[in-house]
């Protein structure tokens, strides 16, 4: 499906069901997802949660979070990139050769927005060629605004990570029995700017 076209299956995942439903969406859409959202929304955390759920299955594939910023146009394919990159991440070259040959890698590509603008199209085209094999699975993660400046990603579903709502923030703070949480709760009730900023998970965790 064309990600920037009409949305045919649009619904919101409940906060307490994210881990279970995210991997269900991954399965439903043949293991090819695009995750977008603004900075600090928890996109990378979502990738980590997917990796953990996938490992629990004892599947033959190994989920690996890969920083897209390390991609270069000199690579003739995604597999060639893996063969150079994974040994730098601690994998033996012999193991990487087997993993690449047998398609045992479940790449969770993080940070499309961190790749040089001129190289994003080449990366997504290479990803499309990599996905020519039907059983290949992967996830691409990007900041929302940067993604919409490039070509469509070769995926079957888009997941957008949205800000928290103020009621969600309040419920979380009320569950934490600490003076600091009560002070923060009081502050957001009286400071509109703080109340808006704290909807971003990163800022809430920092606070």
């Amino acid at each position: 499906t064309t990600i920037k076209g009409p949305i045919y299956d649009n619904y919101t995942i409940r906060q307490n069901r994210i881990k279970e439903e995210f991997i269900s969406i991954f399965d439903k859409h043949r293991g090819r997802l695009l995750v977008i959202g603004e900075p600090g929304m928890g996109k990378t955390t979502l990738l980590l949660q997917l990796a953990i759920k996938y490992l629990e299955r004892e599947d033959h594939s190994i989920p690996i979070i890969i920083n897209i910023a390390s991609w270069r146009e000199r690579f003739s394919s995604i597999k060639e990139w893996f063969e150079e990159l994974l040994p730098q991440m601690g994998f033996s070259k012999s193991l990487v050769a087997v993993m690449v040959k047998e398609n045992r890698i479940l790449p969770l590509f993080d940070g499309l927005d961190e790749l040089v603008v001129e190289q994003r199209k080449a990366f997504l085209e290479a990803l499309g060629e990599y996905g020519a094999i039907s059983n290949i699975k992967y996830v691409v993660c990007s900041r929302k605004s940067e993604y919409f400046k490039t070509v469509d990603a070769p995926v079957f579903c888009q997941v957008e990570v949205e800000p928290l709502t103020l009621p969600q923030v309040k419920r979380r703070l009320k569950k934490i029995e600490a003076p600091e949480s009560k002070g923060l709760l009081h502050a957001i009730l009286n400071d509109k700017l703080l109340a808006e900023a704290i909807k971003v998970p990163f800022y809430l965790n920092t606070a």
Side-chain angles (χ1 to χ4, degrees):
T1 185
T2 301
I3 293 305
K4 296 175 188 173
I7 299 175
Y8 298 103
D9 187 10
N10 185 16
Y11 69 98
T12 302
I13 302 174
R14 291 176 296 169
Q15 186 182 19
N16 63 342
R17 293 286 302 168
I18 289 176
K19 292 181 181 179
E20 292 75 16
E21 292 200 34
F22 186 56
I23 196 165
S24 294
I25 291 172
F26 177 81
D27 293 335
K28 178 181 177 181
H29 296 280
R30 292 174 281 170
R32 297 187 186 183
L33 301 182
L34 169 70
V35 178
I36 61 171
E38 297 304 335
M41 292 299 174
K43 300 182 295 297
T44 302
T45 299
L46 201 57
L47 292 185
L48 288 168
Q49 291 176 344
L50 175 62
I52 291 170
K53 294 295 290 185
Y54 203 83
L55 285 171
E56 291 174 354
R57 292 180 168 183
E58 298 183 357
D59 191 89
H60 77 282
S61 298
I62 301 174
I64 303 174
I65 294 181
I66 297 175
N67 189 338
I68 302 177
S70 62
W71 162 266
R72 297 292 181 270
E73 285 190 76
R74 64 181 173 81
F75 295 117
S76 61
S77 67
I78 295 292
K79 288 187 175 183
E80 182 182 321
W81 178 34
F82 288 163
E83 289 170 349
E84 180 175 309
L85 177 66
L86 296 187
Q88 297 173 13
M89 297 172 66
F91 294 87
S92 70
K93 290 185 178 181
S94 58
L95 175 59
V96 171
V98 173
M99 292 167 65
V100 169
K101 181 179 180 180
E102 299 181 1
N103 295 319
R104 289 181 176 269
I105 300 170
L106 170 56
L108 306 177
F109 297 112
D110 194 15
L112 178 64
D113 52 278
E114 296 177 14
L115 187 63
V116 177
V117 176
E118 295 76 15
Q119 294 188 16
R120 292 175 192 169
K121 180 180 179 181
F123 167 74
L124 292 174
E125 289 176 347
L127 186 60
E129 294 175 4
Y130 174 68
I133 302 175
S134 61
N135 65 338
I136 291 288
K137 300 176 182 179
Y138 52 78
V139 178
V140 179
C141 189
S142 176
R143 290 184 180 182
K144 182 178 179 179
S145 55
E146 280 82 353
Y147 171 70
F148 284 107
K149 296 176 183 177
T150 188
V151 299
D152 286 330
V155 296
F156 300 129
C157 179
Q158 172 181 302
V159 175
E160 181 174 348
V161 185
E162 298 184 338
L164 297 169
T165 63
L166 208 52
Q168 286 176 325
V169 172
K170 292 177 181 178
R171 283 197 298 270
R172 180 168 177 181
L173 290 173
K174 287 177 180 178
K175 287 182 180 179
I176 303 173
E177 296 181 0
E180 293 82 4
S181 63
K182 293 179 181 178
L184 186 56
L185 183 59
H186 176 75
I188 64 175
L189 293 175
N190 294 279
D191 189 322
K192 292 183 179 180
L193 184 60
L194 177 61
E196 189 64 28
I198 210 164
K199 293 178 184 178
V200 177
F202 174 80
Y203 294 134
L204 175 59
N205 292 331
T206 300

